[in-house]
Each structure stands twice: as structure tokens, then as C-alpha cells.
Amino acid sequence: LMELRSKADPTMPKCHFFNTFFYKKLTTTGYCAVRTWTNRVDLFAQDKIIVPLHLGNHWALGVIDVKNKRFEYYDSLLYGRGGERILGLLRNYLEDEHKDKKKTDINLSGWPLVLVDSAPQQCNGYDCGAFTCQFADCASLGIPVTKFSQNDMPY
């Protein structure tokens, strides 16, 4: 729904959303296994690329902010799951994608890896998925993630 919103409203940031299988496939079998996932989309024409991250028993979010040239990691458990390593993997993915689709190298060394420490934190052991959805919504709208908290997650 967020991707449809992004495409329907020209005032919204242009976003591409990978599905929840992308990160697992990328980490277990490498770029060759996901290279065709973007045959119908130019990632470099997007403002943001949203990557849900299933980390075993936890969800977090990676965002490749193409417009502002940065990689962002959102985690509702204070990035206790190797955020820098994950963002490094996403950087490598984007380099591979550029080489494959654009047939040239891209220098991403100036793109910072940002662990978003202002991300709201969950107060329990089971709301990480809801937080990840909210992080993705905020990123796709271009608004700060500080607009919600655990209090907004009724159960």
C-alpha cells in the first residue's frame, strides 16, 4: 500500500519496497539470486529504497536514501543486531546493482551508514514488526520516525 501511495501521489518521495524475502535471499545466496528482482524498476531513479529486515526472531528496517545519499538502519531494540554490518551489505548490494544495470561502477564511499538512534523503542518483546511497519511508513512519507511511540501500539 505504501508503494502504491508513493506512485499515485507525485508529491510523495518515490520509493521502491522490497518484500520480506529480499534480505534473506541476498544474505544467503548473494547478489546473483536477487539481480532480476529489479528488472522492471530503476532503483537509481527512486528517492528511497525500503528493505524490511527479518533477523531471525526480530524485525528491523534498512533504508537506502538515494536522494540524500545515505544508508539508514531503524531498530526498535536500539540496533542490537549488527546495523553497521547490515548497512554495509546494502551498500555492496547497491554497488552490484549499479554495475549490473548501469554497466559502470558507483562510488558510495561518501554515503554514510546511519544507525538512527532517534528511532522509537519497543517496551516489550513482540512489537518489532509493528515498529518496522511504522518506520517504513515514516520513511516513505519523508517524516521523522519520532512521530510515534510504544503508546501508539495498543494490544
Side-chain angles (χ1 to χ4, degrees), residues 16-153:
H16 177 72
F17 293 79
F18 279 112
N19 69 33
T20 57
F21 300 109
F22 173 79
Y23 178 73
K24 178 76 169 172
K25 191 75 160 171
L26 178 65
T27 58
T28 57
T29 52
Y31 178 75
C32 62
V34 296
R35 68 178 291 276
T36 61
W37 290 33
T38 55
N39 282 346
R40 294 187 178 137
V41 62
D42 179 0
L43 292 184
F44 302 95
Q46 305 299 309
D47 294 320
K48 295 185 179 184
I49 303 161
I50 311 295
V51 184
L53 306 165
H54 186 243
L55 308 173
N57 62 351
H58 181 61
W59 288 94
L61 186 75
V63 175
I64 303 171
D65 188 337
V66 179
K67 184 177 181 180
N68 295 307
K69 298 183 174 174
R70 57 190 263 155
F71 296 86
E72 301 168 344
Y73 179 74
Y74 297 86
D75 193 328
S76 60
L77 288 177
L78 203 52
Y79 49 85
R81 305 271 190 220
E84 288 182 10
R85 180 186 54 77
I86 291 167
L87 293 180
L89 182 78
L90 292 180
R91 181 191 321 223
N92 293 343
Y93 165 76
L94 199 60
E95 289 170 342
D96 291 342
E97 179 75 0
H98 196 275
K99 188 165 188 99
D100 183 51
K101 301 298 191 302
K102 302 292 186 181
K103 307 301 182 206
T104 61
D105 291 328
I106 186 172
N107 182 358
L108 302 175
S109 63
W111 292 34
L113 307 180
V114 179
L115 304 176
V116 181
D117 58 4
S118 61
Q121 300 295 289
Q122 66 189 76
C123 299
N124 58 41
Y126 48 84
D127 277 345
C128 56
F131 274 81
T132 298
C133 290
Q134 279 299 122
F135 294 150
D137 194 38
C138 290
S140 70
L141 290 169
I143 62 173
V145 294
T146 56
K147 300 293 182 189
F148 72 94
S149 72
Q150 179 74 63
N151 293 335
D152 299 309
M153 311 284 175

